[in-house]
Structure formats: C-alpha cells, structure tokens
Amino acid sequence: MKKIGLLPRLVIAIILGILFGSFMPAWFIRIFATFNGIFGNFLNFAIPLIIIGFVVPGIGDLGTGAGKILALTAGVAYISTIISGSFAYFVDVTVFPMFLKEGALVMDATNPEHQLLTAYMNIEMPPIMDVMTALILSFLIGLGISAIKGTYIKNVFNELQEIISKLISNLIIPLLPFHVCGIFANMTKAGTVFQILSVFARVFVIIIILHIVIIIFQYTVSGLTAGKNPFKLIKNMIPAYMTAIGTQSSAATIPVTLAQTKKNGAREQVADFVIPLCATIHLSGSTITLTSCAIAIMMMNGMDYSFMNMFPFILMLGVTMVAAPGVPGGAVMAALGILQSMLGFDETLTALMIALYLAQDSFGTACNVTGDGAIAIFVDKVTAGWNKNK
C-alpha cells in the first residue's frame, strides 16, 4: 500500500482540526492543546541540536572545494538568496495589505471565547543552549573544520547530522500533522481559523509569482553575462523544475539539473561542481517562501515586520539555508531557530509557519534547482578565462 505523502496528511489534519474545533467540546480540544504544548517544548529542545547537526557539516563541507570557484559559487548563491528574500519583502509589504488585515489574529483579551484553550499539563524541556549560542558555536566549529581540513571531528558531526536527520524524518515530521490538527482545532474554537484560510490561497499565488519572477531575473543576469537568450535557458531547465515538483528534493533532482545545465552550454567540470554544491547552499525559492509566510503571519498578528526587523532575518536566513536537511520541509526546520529568536514566533505561530511552508514546498524546491542552473551558467562564463590568465 502506497504511503500517504506529507502534504495530503497536512491537508487532512487541517480539515480535521477545523471539524474538531467546530463540533467537539472544550475538554477534547484541550487534549490536543496538551499534545501541542509537549510537542512544542520538544521542538524547542531539538532546535539547537538541529542547528548544530546541520550547520557544522554544511559549513565544513564548503572547505572541500576548488578554491576560487568555490568562493565565487558560494558568494553568488548567497547574494542570489538575499536578493530573493529582499525582493519578496518589498512585494509582500506592498501587496499583502490589499487583502490582509493587520492584527486580525490578535486575541481579544476581554472575551474568553476568543482565547486559545490551555493544556491540562505542561512538561518543561529546556534546550541545552539558546538558538544564538547554537548558531555561533556551529559557525565557529564549521569554519574551524574547513580551515584545518579536519576529518575526525567532521566525521563526528556528519554522524550527528545523520542522527538529527532520523529525528526529523522519523519523529518530528510524522507528528507534525497531529500538531497542526491541534493548532487548527484550537484556533477554530477561538474563532480565528477562517481568517487564516481566507488569505491562504492568495498568499500562495503571490509566492508562486515571486518564484517565477526571480527565476527570470536569475537567467536574465546569467544570460546577459554569458551572451545567451535567458528564455531559451529557462525553457531547457523545465524538466528539472518539473522533477523537483515531484520529488520535493534538490538532491534527488541533481541528475536532471546537471543534464539540463550542460544542455545550456555550461562546461562539464563547472556544472559537475556547481550544481551539487548549489543544491545544498542555494535556496532562493525557499527563502522567498519563508519570508513571505513570515510576513503574512506577522501582519495578521500585529507584529513588527519593518525592513529594519526583517532584513537581518533575511541575511541570517541565507546562511541558515546551508543547514537545510534534505527532507520535505527541511528549509523551514532549519529556519525555526531564527524565526523564534529573531522574529519572536511562539509555538502556535511556528506551527502555522510549518503548515504554510509545506503547502508549497515542492514549488520552492523547483525554484531552488532552476536557479542553480543560472548560477552554473554565470560561474562558467566568469571562470572561463581564469586558466588563460595564469
């Protein structure tokens, strides 16, 4: 029997949550609230481990490359990610207010019917360190491994990465539908869920449009640099885009991305290096989605989404995406720490963020891998004369 995918399970969870919140008594919803509290505390406990488990090997792996071409590729990938996030921000703050009411989800403290129900019990699970400590520690160790080309400690963190991957894929991801179901049941009981669903589809459409625009921008830059027709380059990358929609994995799409990039004229040695590297470090589509979903949630909760508050988040997001694990929803998992530490998301907002992100994860991945081909064309042209100049 074929296993039901994560997205269908999340859709079912949202529908059940709305039905439970509409027809079940408060004591039943509080059972879910208890699970949400325990699961949310566990997620908070796991976030520093997720950061260390993925950021350290991710940064450490950047040291195993071909010198200048590695630095160029990593720099272009980071700039592309930051441009994508910043572009999404300015479009979002212009368009979202047309259909999003600021502060729409702020609870009325004077009306008990508009409050989320509380849990029967709470189990504290304090993390071993805070998020910023985990990030700084991870950067230091990762850069240290890259500098000394250490193998023993790198192998230790590679095994830790495997453990955390198992934790995410075998425990956190399977329990997410129950978590989302409980959150939506509680919000339905409080009378706020339909406000979220009413704007969900429009936010989704805008994200897809942003993906398409950033792909055109990436190929316009690489096409002008290489003297090639950007739309012909994009046309050749359609098989990679469609494959990514089906697999929801940049890594699984590498063979197709590689073949289509070579078809676009990139030298074999450049494509063989850039495409696998960018599958790990270049997540422009995921950054657009995370930025847009975060802004939508912050608007509806009356939070500060000013550029001065969001731009540091986007800068950190570009670095954190290096740590995104190769599982469905991996990017949002890697971003949970900075969502909480930099934007002030609590367990409820985090669950909303996960649900919104996973609803279009495949399209974000498709944007990521298509953009990888543009970076390969750009790097191929820039590095073409390096050997001649030596």
Side-chain angles (χ1 to χ4, degrees), residues 352-370:
L352 273 177
M353 188 73 183
I354 293 171
L356 282 169
Y357 179 87
L358 289 176
Q360 67 74 66
D361 188 24
S362 57
F363 291 94
T365 302
C367 180
N368 294 339
V369 302
T370 306

Side-chain angles (χ1 to χ4, degrees), residues 162-240:
E162 293 181 18
I163 293 171
I164 301 301
S165 292
K166 293 290 184 183
L167 172 68
I168 292 173
S169 58
N170 295 340
L171 181 63
I172 293 177
I173 294 293
L175 289 178
L176 274 179
F178 297 97
H179 189 48
V180 170
C181 179
I183 293 292
F184 273 81
N186 212 339
M187 288 191 301
T188 302
K189 204 70 173 176
T192 60
V193 72
F194 293 106
Q195 292 170 296
I196 295 173
L197 294 179
S198 67
V199 301
F200 182 89
R202 283 173 283 187
V203 170
F204 181 88
V205 169
I206 289 180
I207 289 172
I208 300 300
I209 293 173
L210 288 172
H211 286 167
I212 294 171
V213 172
I214 206 67
I215 288 172
I216 294 173
F217 169 76
Q218 290 167 338
Y219 277 91
T220 298
V221 172
S222 62
L224 290 174
T225 303
K228 298 180 179 181
N229 185 331
F231 292 99
K232 185 176 180 181
L233 295 175
I234 293 173
K235 181 182 177 182
N236 287 338
M237 294 302 296
I238 290 176

Side-chain angles (χ1 to χ4, degrees), residues 58-59 61-63 65-82 273-275 277-278 280-283 318-319 322 375-376 378-379 386:
I59 294 178
D61 285 339
L62 295 182
K68 290 194 296 182
I69 189 173
L70 168 66
L72 174 64
T73 305
V76 172
Y78 183 73
I79 292 171
S80 172
T81 301
I82 300 310
F273 177 81
V274 172
I275 294 301
L277 176 62
C278 283
T280 302
I281 67 173
H282 180 235
L283 285 85
V319 176
V322 174
I375 291 179
F378 181 86
V379 171
W386 282 6

Side-chain angles (χ1 to χ4, degrees), residues 289-355:
T289 305
L290 289 166
T291 302
S292 299
C293 290
I295 291 172
I297 291 172
M298 293 171 79
M299 277 188 180
M300 296 179 75
N301 283 275
M303 301 167 71
D304 177 17
Y305 59 89
S306 65
F307 186 70
M308 294 303 294
N309 191 40
M310 290 299 299
F311 189 60
F313 168 77
I314 294 170
L315 292 177
M316 186 60 75
L317 195 59
V319 176
T320 308
M321 287 300 94
V322 174
V327 297
V332 72
M333 287 297 158
L336 289 181
I338 58 174
L339 283 168
Q340 292 184 350
S341 65
M342 300 185 74
L343 300 185
F345 277 38
D346 58 18
E347 288 82 358
T348 300
L349 300 187
T350 299
L352 273 177
M353 188 73 183
I354 293 171

Side-chain angles (χ1 to χ4, degrees), residues 133-145:
T133 301
L135 282 168
I136 294 172
L137 180 64
S138 299
F139 293 154
L140 289 176
I141 296 176
L143 291 171
I145 292 173

Side-chain angles (χ1 to χ4, degrees), residues 93-131:
V93 298
T94 302
V95 177
F96 284 179
M98 297 178 184
F99 58 87
L100 270 177
K101 182 180 178 182
E102 292 197 29
L105 295 184
V106 177
M107 300 297 182
D108 182 2
T110 63
N111 190 344
E113 293 183 0
H114 291 172
Q115 301 299 305
L116 295 176
L117 296 174
T118 57
Y120 285 112
M121 59 177 288
N122 185 42
I123 301 176
E124 294 293 337
M125 303 180 196
I128 59 174
M129 64 183 73
D130 61 39
V131 169

